[in-house]
Amino acid sequence: MVTIKDVAKHARVSVATVSRVLNNNGYVGAETRKKVMTAIEELNYSPNEVARSLYKRGSRLIGLLLPDITNPFFPQLARGVEDEAGRHGFRVLLGNSDEDIEKEMDYIQTFVQNNVVGMITATNHVDYDMYQSLDLPLVLLDRTSSSYPAVYADGREGGRLAAETLIKKGAQRVTLVKGPAHVKPAVDRYRGAVEVLGEADVDFSVMSTTSYAFEEALNWAEELFKKFPETDGIIASNDIVGIAIIHEALKRGKNIPEELQIIGYDDIPQSRLSYPPLTTIRQPAYEMGRRAAELLIQRIGQPQQEHRSIQMPVELIERHTTRKDDQE
Amino acid sequence: MVTIKDVAKHARVSVATVSRVLNNNGYVGAETRKKVMTAIEELNYSPNEVARSLYKRGSRLIGLLLPDITNPFFPQLARGVEDEAGRHGFRVLLGNSDEDIEKEMDYIQTFVQNNVVGMITATNHVDYDMYQSLDLPLVLLDRTSSSYPAVYADGREGGRLAAETLIKKGAQRVTLVKGPAHVKPAVDRYRGAVEVLGEADVDFSVMSTTSYAFEEALNWAEELFKKFPETDGIIASNDIVGIAIIHEALKRGKNIPEELQIIGYDDIPQSRLSYPPLTTIRQPAYEMGRRAAELLIQRIGQPQQEHRSIQMPVELIERHTTRKDDQE
DNA sequence: TTGAAAGCGCTACCAG
DNA sequence: CTGGTAGCGCTTTCAA
């Protein structure tokens, strides 16, 4: 390993000087700078971030805690964060919490142990001590809190939009699939939908589910048709279960969208690939991740500043699991 | 921040002693140990990994470089790595290369700058200087090399299996979709398929594609049917394009699998959700990631040991885009 | 404009 | 069994 000392020796200056050119601060003579630069080149030196981090009490790492990147919504958030962070010279330490508080705490500890300069988290537990006692710039992603800045999409509005769409397009007996109760955004969108459905002139029923896992999605879909065979409009808890519902509906010979309309949530990349392509409520996942990183980095710069949250708009993406026009 | 010094003071011992109990080495009296333990508890102390890493010249971090976690195959690898690593007290620093050599080099630099103890990479460029001069335990994942241990699935065999399946099931005019030329596993499976197709008594054509991106998958599918409208058996370059092909086929009113059979590659979670559910060649992605981490950690323990690669079996997952039996 | 040296938090060696 | 201390690679005073 080549160290700053080697560079100093090679350039016949002190380590202090090398450090100064490295960090571009303090006075350095033009001559000297050049000498150092070439030494760096020749030795192919790159500074040890760990040593740097130790002294500065802060690395160039940011901690990112997500429920599960195996769920296609999250990789997009992650890429948004990573790309924006990278643009500012930061890298990400990734953790999957599986919505498990133990794992979450473990990761948080890891993050602080590694001197991350800030952290982005999609947690339902900001109120825990772990977070309270955290002395780090923090931004929530895909979650909200009054105590921290957050970047999230308007779930309530998304739920409303989904319901309104289905109603406008003539669904009469809608089934609302309720996501896991402990996942905040899931309940937001559920409430939004109920809000609209409750006021509207349609029958509706609710089916509760407890996970977003791929393996179970088909079971939920099956259960749904068993319980509500007469439904003609389904609001899925997310695109995964939306796609599973298409699958099951087709299997049962239902005509989509004539007989049965389906609307998903998230707009994960594969939703346009389903057949028929899934109508859905889009959350701008990549952009959300990007903004979260942006916000965090801002706060790293000026930690005192009063915090600001960003609510991203949701958007109806009309594809072919809903009808073209209002028709009964 | 509470440091080892604080703990020492609190427990009325020296930092050396605290360090010893922390690391469970050297002699420590039972009494003393207890005192230290309680001090640690009371102060809620956890050691600074950065300082530790600086001294030891090695962190508890492993670098993971993947092409793009936005492609559903990779999050599974990533989770496998992460979970296994976590089990051994390691965490992962994640980088997406986008198959871009620049980004790749950047991340490698970051990894060494942060003292990672080892690295797992899905690269096509092990032969580059960057890797050659790397003095770190390294294992390849989803890629091969003669110079490093690797965990990969048998692409050649997978390609063969796909082709054999289609032939056995009576396809007469098969179309082989060739993945991006610079992605090694893609060409392996392509070759395997050609091997079998060339020997068999069927017509076949090849269609080249240059990416796996979701956005383009539908375009490839469309192009395919334009160029080869008569095909009755398609070997997709991966499940994403397989699913896109189902989409396009259905849109064109083709009967699957009677008129047209399709076989994918990877067995990503969403493949069973398509309709009809996609027959595919499974790569045990999660397990591959897990094994790669296992291998790496082994090598971290004993770096000298001669290296061993692990070839994972591929497996035909018969779902409903291929026919039940051999029938013409 | 430069260099010497202290110190970031921790580990490991050496004395006692 | 325990403590003192050097030193990991770097940054940043402070003096020169």
Side-chain angles (χ1 to χ4, degrees), chain A residues 14 16-17 20 27-29 32 55 57:
Chain A
S14 73
T17 302
R20 277 189 287 257
Y27 296 95
V28 181
T32 326
Y55 187 90
R57 290 132 173 281

Side-chain angles (χ1 to χ4, degrees), chain B residues 123-152:
Chain B
T123 182
N124 298 305
H125 311 286
V126 238
D127 37 323
Y128 272 54
D129 280 0
M130 196 86 249
Y131 282 105
Q132 300 298 339
S133 60
L134 215 54
D135 183 29
L136 271 181
L138 181 68
V139 357
L140 293 184
L141 179 51
D142 189 39
R143 306 291 144 113
T144 4
S145 149
S146 49
S147 355
Y148 299 97
V151 177
Y152 60 98

Side-chain angles (χ1 to χ4, degrees), chain A residues 173 175 221-234 244-262 275-276 320-321 323, chain B residues 250 275:
Chain A
R173 295 171 303 282
T175 304
E222 216 173 315
E223 183 181 335
L224 188 153
F225 285 106
K226 260 185 211 136
K227 286 188 175 161
F228 310 107
E230 296 305 308
T231 187
D232 68 353
I234 300 176
I245 289 170
I246 295 179
H247 173 114
E248 190 63 24
L250 256 24
K251 190 165 159 190
R252 291 171 183 251
K254 305 247 181 209
N255 273 321
I256 302 173
E258 296 76 9
E259 228 179 307
L260 172 65
Q261 302 189 77
I262 302 167
Y275 191 83
H320 303 324
T321 56
R323 301 187 204 135
Chain B
L250 256 25
Y275 193 83

Side-chain angles (χ1 to χ4, degrees), chain A residues 3 67 88 107 116 123 142 154 203-204 219 232 239 241 243 256 266 293 316 328:
Chain A
T3 77
H88 297 266
Y107 270 112
V116 302
T123 181
D142 188 40
D154 191 345
D203 297 342
F204 78 97
N219 297 336
D232 68 353
D239 283 357
V241 344
I243 291 172
I256 302 173
D266 284 346
L316 172 67
E328 303 240 325

Side-chain angles (χ1 to χ4, degrees), chain A residues 7-260:
Chain A
V7 176
K9 211 166 294 175
H10 198 83
R12 301 171 169 287
V13 297
S14 73
V15 296
T17 302
V18 177
S19 175
R20 277 189 287 257
V21 348
L22 245 30
N23 297 285
N24 249 316
N25 58 18
Y27 296 95
V28 181
E31 280 297 283
T32 326
R33 155 165 277 112
K34 198 173 295 174
K35 274 196 306 187
V36 173
M37 295 295 244
T38 49
I40 288 175
E41 286 281 309
E42 287 177 22
L43 299 182
N44 191 10
Y45 166 77
S46 88
N48 180 325
E49 271 303 324
V50 174
R52 203 173 244 183
S53 164
L54 178 59
Y55 187 90
K56 306 268 273 294
R57 290 132 173 281
S59 63
R60 298 293 286 175
L61 261 26
I62 77 184
L64 174 60
L65 193 57
L66 257 23
D68 179 17
I69 52 165
T70 256
N71 173 334
F73 177 66
F74 294 109
Q76 305 197 75
L77 292 179
R79 285 297 314 245
V81 170
E82 184 192 331
D83 290 354
E84 184 66 21
R87 224 166 276 133
H88 297 266
F90 294 98
R91 311 258 98 137
V92 348
L93 209 48
L94 175 68
N96 289 101
S97 71
D98 291 322
E99 305 273 11
D100 171 330
I101 187 85
E102 293 278 340
K103 289 199 190 181
E104 188 168 341
M105 311 252 263
D106 270 11
Y107 270 112
I108 293 173
Q109 196 186 26
T110 298
F111 291 166
V112 327
Q113 286 184 317
N114 284 283
N115 268 355
V116 302
V117 267
M119 140 168 201
I120 295 178
T121 172
T123 181
N124 298 306
H125 311 286
V126 239
D127 37 322
Y128 273 54
D129 280 2
M130 197 85 249
Y131 282 105
Q132 299 298 339
S133 61
L134 216 53
D135 185 28
L136 272 180
L138 181 68
V139 356
L140 294 183
L141 179 52
D142 188 40
R143 306 290 143 111
T144 5
S145 148
S146 49
S147 356
Y148 298 97
V151 176
Y152 59 99
D154 191 345
R156 176 79 60 124
E157 173 59 19
R160 267 193 230 109
L161 189 52
E164 279 161 6
T165 303
L166 236 41
I167 290 168
K168 205 175 72 190
K169 290 181 179 293
Q172 289 293 315
R173 295 171 303 282
V174 348
T175 304
L176 175 57
V177 182
K178 185 179 175 185
H182 60 285
V183 179
K184 291 270 179 60
V187 342
D188 283 354
R189 66 185 80 151
Y190 168 74
R191 289 200 184 127
V194 168
E195 227 170 280
V196 169
L197 256 16
E199 296 301 311
D201 201 17
V202 298
D203 297 342
F204 78 97
S205 15
V206 171
M207 182 177 128
S208 287
T209 63
T210 55
S211 87
Y212 280 145
F214 281 102
E215 298 72 32
E216 300 183 51
L218 283 174
N219 297 336
W220 301 127
E222 216 173 315
E223 183 181 335
L224 188 153
F225 285 106
K226 260 185 211 136
K227 286 188 175 161
F228 310 107
E230 296 305 308
T231 187
D232 68 353
I234 300 176
I235 302 176
S237 47
N238 72 1
D239 283 357
I240 294 176
V241 344
I243 291 172
I245 289 170
I246 295 179
H247 173 114
E248 190 63 24
L250 256 24
K251 190 165 159 190
R252 291 171 183 251
K254 305 247 181 209
N255 273 321
I256 302 173
E258 296 76 9
E259 228 179 307
L260 172 65

